[in-house]
Amino acid sequence: MQESVTGFSMPRVAIRATLLQTSGAKRGGEIYVMERVPQHAGHETPLDMLNRPEGFFPFRPQGNGGGVLLVAKARTVTLSVPRTEPDDATRLSAAKQASLEVTLADGSKLSGRATLELPQHHSRLLDYLNASPEPFFAIATADEVHLVNRAHVLYARPED
């Protein structure tokens, strides 16, 4: 028996993630990004997905019997994904790395490094945090990339 296609869908890639919402509970699961995007080679990054204009994204929690939740981006504090892909050495050679600590609205702290891809005369941490109107920015640690919602940051402190 042949199944009919009733709608249009884009091929997706599943990525393991940990979701922290404003309720304060962390959940492990998977997010889904597009297999291809026009702005760069390879699949969509989780940061690309979070900064798309849509207000919700699909998240499949672990142990949820296979059900997918449609999560509100506005209520997402952080989304953490494994740091699996090597950094683009050519791109990073022109960027500056900055260590920072972010204090979130619930009082918790997150430390890591941000990649500042900004003009030399605007390459301070303040410039990085203010450079984009997009709601999420990235902080990397040795094992993970934390995608942080600007709306849930109380303050950031440079560590170098």
Side-chain angles (χ1 to χ4, degrees):
M1 184 162 130
Q2 192 174 25
E3 291 184 39
S4 64
V5 176
T6 58
F8 178 76
S9 67
M10 297 292 293
R12 302 284 175 163
V13 174
I15 298 175
R16 190 169 47 88
T18 302
L19 174 67
L20 173 62
Q21 293 183 283
T22 55
S23 64
K26 282 188 178 182
R27 293 179 140 177
E30 291 180 330
I31 59 168
Y32 301 91
V33 297
M34 290 188 276
E35 195 173 82
R36 291 190 182 105
V37 289
Q39 61 267 35
H40 58 74
H43 65 76
E44 178 180 44
T45 67
L47 184 60
D48 293 337
M49 181 273 297
L50 286 173
N51 283 328
R52 277 194 270 134
E54 298 86 10
F56 292 82
F57 65 93
F59 179 78
R60 183 183 309 272
Q62 292 172 333
N64 192 34
V68 172
L69 301 176
L70 301 177
V71 176
K73 291 177 183 178
R75 305 288 287 171
T76 299
V77 178
T78 63
L79 185 71
S80 301
V81 296
R83 190 171 176 171
T84 56
E85 296 180 13
D87 292 326
D88 181 347
T90 304
R91 198 184 92 235
L92 289 181
S93 68
K96 179 180 170 184
Q97 295 285 310
S99 294
L100 72 152
E101 178 184 77
V102 172
T103 300
L104 302 171
D106 67 357
S108 65
K109 296 179 189 289
L110 180 61
S111 293
R113 297 186 71 70
T115 302
L116 313 181
E117 296 183 72
L118 299 168
Q120 185 67 22
H121 61 283
H122 288 291
S123 61
R124 302 170 301 167
L125 180 58
L126 179 62
D127 298 321
Y128 171 72
L129 294 171
N130 287 328
S132 174
E134 295 176 330
F136 290 85
F137 65 96
I139 298 176
T141 62
D143 301 324
E144 293 183 298
V145 176
H146 303 280
L147 308 172
V148 181
N149 188 333
R150 292 174 200 279
H152 298 286
V153 173
L154 288 179
Y155 51 87
R157 184 175 61 84
E159 291 189 322
D160 41 20

